[in-house]
Amino acid sequence: MCGVTTVKRKRMPRAEREQQMIAVAEQVFTERGYATASMDEIAELVGVSKPMLYEYFRSKEGLLLACIRQSRAALREVTEQATAGAESAEDALRLGLQAFFVFIRERREAWSLLRHEMALIGTPASDEIEETRRQQTDLITSLMSGHFDSEDTLRAEASAEFVVGACERLAIWCERFPEVTPEIATGYAMDLLWTGLSQRAI
């Protein structure tokens, strides 16, 4: 049995029950891996019947997709909140990067689902993970439009893709070094990224 505590079943609104199922599934998928995780185990840990899981999500893949979509929404929310009050391009980039690195430190299960796409290539889950990258790229492109010269839209998008790809690899590297805090990781990223981007700041 994995390290998730079994939830004692009680009557609750559908939306709340769904969130409970997703939270447990997220941990099980992270600990077991998607292929090994079973709906029986997830149902037992949540404290519901397996047919109820299927009623909510139709399949194990449907449950995985729900987990990924929720993680993506959470990442978008923290990024937007962090950059909302930025007064300069440099401040906006730093706040956005730090929000990302804090997210992956505090939401390890969610981050694990978002990054372990190699085993899911060719599946709807792979598409959902790529949509997460697209989301972050769009957010950064939008941010640049407010703080950078936005006439060259292709360059703006290319820059955003570079930022997303670089930070994703840096985040994976950080997993090997727990002593690298979100603040340190943000500093490393800014040292490299801001050198080029600062030339385009308004």
Side-chain angles (χ1 to χ4, degrees), residues 111-143:
W111 166 242
S112 179
L113 288 177
L114 291 177
R115 81 171 183 81
H116 284 128
E117 79 278 4
M118 291 308 294
L120 304 171
I121 289 176
T123 70
S126 176
D127 295 337
E128 289 291 340
I129 292 168
E130 182 56 33
E131 181 59 29
T132 300
R133 294 190 180 101
R134 181 75 258 169
Q135 167 190 282
Q136 294 306 106
T137 299
D138 289 345
L139 283 172
I140 293 170
T141 302
S142 176
L143 183 65

Side-chain angles (χ1 to χ4, degrees), residues 82-83 86-97 143 147-148:
T83 58
E87 297 181 355
S88 68
E90 183 176 7
D91 191 36
L93 182 61
R94 184 181 301 278
L95 290 171
L97 292 176
L143 183 65
H147 295 284
F148 292 83

Side-chain angles (χ1 to χ4, degrees), residues 5 26 36-37 40 50 58 60-61 74 78 97 110 112 119 128 137-138 153 158 163 167 169 173-174 177 180:
T5 303
E26 187 177 272
T36 305
D40 287 299
K50 186 165 72 169
R58 297 182 179 273
K60 184 169 77 167
E61 183 176 63
V78 299
L97 292 176
S112 179
E128 289 291 340
T137 299
D138 289 345
T153 57
V163 172
C167 289
R169 290 305 308 170
W173 174 82
C174 286
F177 300 95
V180 178

Side-chain angles (χ1 to χ4, degrees), residues 55-110:
E55 178 187 338
Y56 276 64
F57 302 103
R58 297 182 179 273
S59 65
K60 184 169 77 167
E61 183 176 63
L63 180 53
L64 174 65
L65 295 179
C67 290
I68 294 173
R69 287 166 185 155
Q70 180 165 286
S71 297
R72 182 168 69 237
L75 178 57
R76 181 185 184 94
E77 181 179 5
V78 299
T79 304
E80 289 181 330
Q81 288 180 350
T83 58
E87 297 181 355
S88 68
E90 183 176 7
D91 191 36
L93 182 61
R94 184 181 301 278
L95 290 171
L97 292 176
Q98 184 158 320
F100 170 71
F101 289 115
V102 168
F103 178 86
I104 66 171
R105 173 65 69 94
E106 296 182 348
R107 298 282 305 278
R108 291 184 184 277
E109 291 87 0

